[in-house]
Amino acid sequence: MRTANTHKNMARCAATATLACVLGLGLAAPAYADTASDLAAARTKLEQIGTQTQQIYDELATQTQALDQTAGEITQKQQEIADGQTKLSTYVAGEYKTGGLSLLQVLTGVDDLSDMLNRLFYYGKVSDKQAQTIQEVKELKQQLTDKQAEQEKNVAATQKKVDELNAQQAEAQNVVNSLDSQLQAELAAEAEANAALQASINASTAEKATVSNETAGTTENTNNGGQTSNNNNQGGNTPAPTPAPAPTPQPSTPAPAPTPSAPSQSVDGGSVVSRAYSKLGCAYSWGGIGPNSFDCSGFVSYCLTGRYCRLGTTGTFMGWTRVSDPQPGDVVVNSYHTGIYIGGGQMIHASDYNTGVIISSVAAGMNNNYIFVRY
């Protein structure tokens, strides 16, 4: 019976060890880390395209305003030319009636009004001042017309850029939406896997406790059996042997102190990252702990606990256990700012009054002297 129990206990111990190995492999880097990094990069790209689009819209508005102004100037010069032509027509009619100008001189071979004006200049029937004024207006109108053509060309080119950026922005938004949906699905799967993992760990712990209790029971039964055999031997008339001298007592060796186990992370990184993403766009407020506005340490406290509370300040977080291989869900902190690391060199943090809760690179968000710690 003892041999059978021993074999059974050994089998259970082997199974427990195998499960521990499997569970250890299951604690590798989170599956969502790459998706979270891709999503952060896609959001950054979308923000960049948005900035470019706003700049090109401003440029288009400026060009359109200048084009409208040029069109107005052309209209004004056209009116000045028309007024000058009216005056010249009156002058020509007067000269003809008084005999000062031969109609044949003016109209022979005339193709249009401009040609007629040129002939008038040639015959000296228009004063130099009149001629100079009309010519300057005509030249200025031509300059404005050329300027208008160039402006229309620039507006068309800018509008083309606007259309291209709008298409890029729509495509980038689709990528962000797709990656966001993928990340949420992976986070849900990760949470489910973590729950199953925890259940397996609990079952393994219970199995170890059962094995330990059964081993202790087997040992106790064996000792009791040996004592019963000794009592049976004392039932005869054989005199008791002379007791042997007691051995000289030896100093006892103290048992070694147990090795303390390493602390384990008490929060799930996937849940921390998911909470951080859920608050993107929330406002910044000094002393804010949610639900719609946060300061940097209030935001980190919510992400770590899921409660609208404050675990401490940046000074508190600086005293936590540092890590050299940060994982999504860890805390990035220095003496004046803190945020949640989401992988790929990116972090989510309550930045300032202008931007609120945003994604940015760790280097840009923390500037210098930052560390990674684990709650």
Side-chain angles (χ1 to χ4, degrees):
M1 184 67 176
R2 177 181 179 184
T3 302
N5 285 336
T6 301
H7 289 167
K8 181 179 179 181
N9 292 338
M10 291 176 62
R12 287 181 175 178
C13 289
T16 301
T18 302
L19 178 60
C21 292
V22 172
L23 296 179
L25 292 175
L27 296 175
Y32 58 80
D34 291 340
T35 304
S37 178
D38 292 343
L39 177 59
R43 289 184 186 276
T44 300
K45 181 64 176 177
L46 181 60
E47 291 175 2
Q48 292 173 348
I49 294 175
T51 301
Q52 293 175 0
T53 301
Q54 185 59 52
Q55 292 173 348
I56 204 71
Y57 266 122
D58 294 342
E59 181 179 346
L60 179 61
T62 301
Q63 291 177 346
T64 303
Q65 183 179 4
L67 181 60
D68 292 341
Q69 181 178 353
T70 300
E73 292 175 356
I74 290 175
T75 301
Q76 179 181 354
K77 296 306 175 185
Q78 186 66 46
Q79 185 61 46
E80 292 180 13
I81 292 173
D83 293 342
Q85 290 174 343
T86 300
K87 291 180 181 179
L88 283 177
S89 297
T90 303
Y91 172 78
V92 170
E95 285 293 304
Y96 174 71
K97 288 178 180 180
T98 59
L101 179 65
S102 168
L103 182 61
L104 183 62
Q105 287 177 315
V106 176
L107 298 181
T108 300
V110 171
D111 294 328
D112 54 27
L113 179 60
S114 296
D115 189 21
M116 184 185 75
L117 295 177
N118 290 334
R119 286 172 180 270
L120 288 173
F121 299 151
Y122 177 75
Y123 287 113
K125 298 302 182 180
V126 179
S127 68
D128 292 340
K129 184 176 181 180
Q130 288 177 312
Q132 182 179 0
T133 299
I134 294 175
Q135 187 63 29
E136 286 176 354
V137 172
K138 289 175 63 179
E139 291 176 354
L140 181 56
K141 177 180 177 293
Q142 185 60 48
Q143 292 174 5
L144 290 172
T145 301
D146 294 341
K147 180 180 179 181
Q148 183 183 45
E150 184 66 24
Q151 288 176 331
E152 289 175 347
K153 180 180 178 181
N154 292 338
V155 167
T158 303
Q159 183 62 54
K160 182 179 180 181
K161 291 180 181 178
V162 168
D163 296 339
E164 291 174 352
L165 283 172
N166 284 336
Q168 293 177 18
Q169 190 172 33
E171 182 179 356
Q173 185 64 60
N174 289 335
V175 172
V176 168
N177 293 341
S178 176
L179 286 172
D180 186 60
S181 298
Q182 181 179 344
L183 177 63
Q184 296 304 321
E186 290 179 0
L187 287 173
E190 187 78 10
E192 183 178 353
N194 287 339
L197 183 63
Q198 187 61 53
S200 298
I201 292 174
N202 293 340
S204 173
T205 302
E207 184 73 12
K208 288 181 179 179
T210 302
V211 170
S212 177
N213 291 338
E214 290 185 357
T215 302
T218 301
T219 303
E220 182 179 354
N221 290 337
T222 301
N223 292 337
N224 290 338
Q227 182 177 359
T228 302
S229 175
N230 291 336
N231 290 338
N232 291 337
N233 290 336
Q234 293 174 3
N237 297 324
T238 305
T242 303
T248 304
Q250 299 294 328
S252 59
T253 303
T259 303
S261 59
S264 60
Q265 186 175 357
S266 60
V267 295
D268 170 50
S271 299
V272 175
V273 172
S274 180
R275 294 187 195 111
Y277 271 106
S278 72
K279 295 300 180 180
L280 281 174
C282 284
Y284 177 92
S285 66
W286 177 260
I289 58 173
N292 299 317
S293 63
F294 300 87
D295 62 11
C296 63
S297 57
F299 172 73
V300 168
S301 297
Y302 165 72
C303 294
L304 293 175
T305 66
R307 293 179 286 107
Y308 300 115
C309 65
R310 185 178 301 279
L311 293 175
T313 64
T314 54
T316 306
F317 304 158
M318 290 281 286
W320 289 355
T321 302
R322 298 190 183 190
V323 292
S324 59
D325 57 338
Q327 300 297 316
D330 285 340
V331 177
V332 55
V333 62
N334 60 19
S335 59
Y336 62 88
H337 194 53
T338 185
I340 296 297
Y341 184 64
I342 60 174
Q346 302 284 317
M347 64 182 285
I348 299 179
H349 57 122
S351 178
D352 54 36
Y353 288 102
N354 293 326
T355 57
V357 178
I358 60 170
I359 296 176
S360 69
S361 67
V362 173
M366 303 299 294
N367 291 329
N368 53 34
N369 297 329
Y370 57 87
I371 60 173
F372 293 96
V373 299
R374 188 162 295 165
Y375 176 56

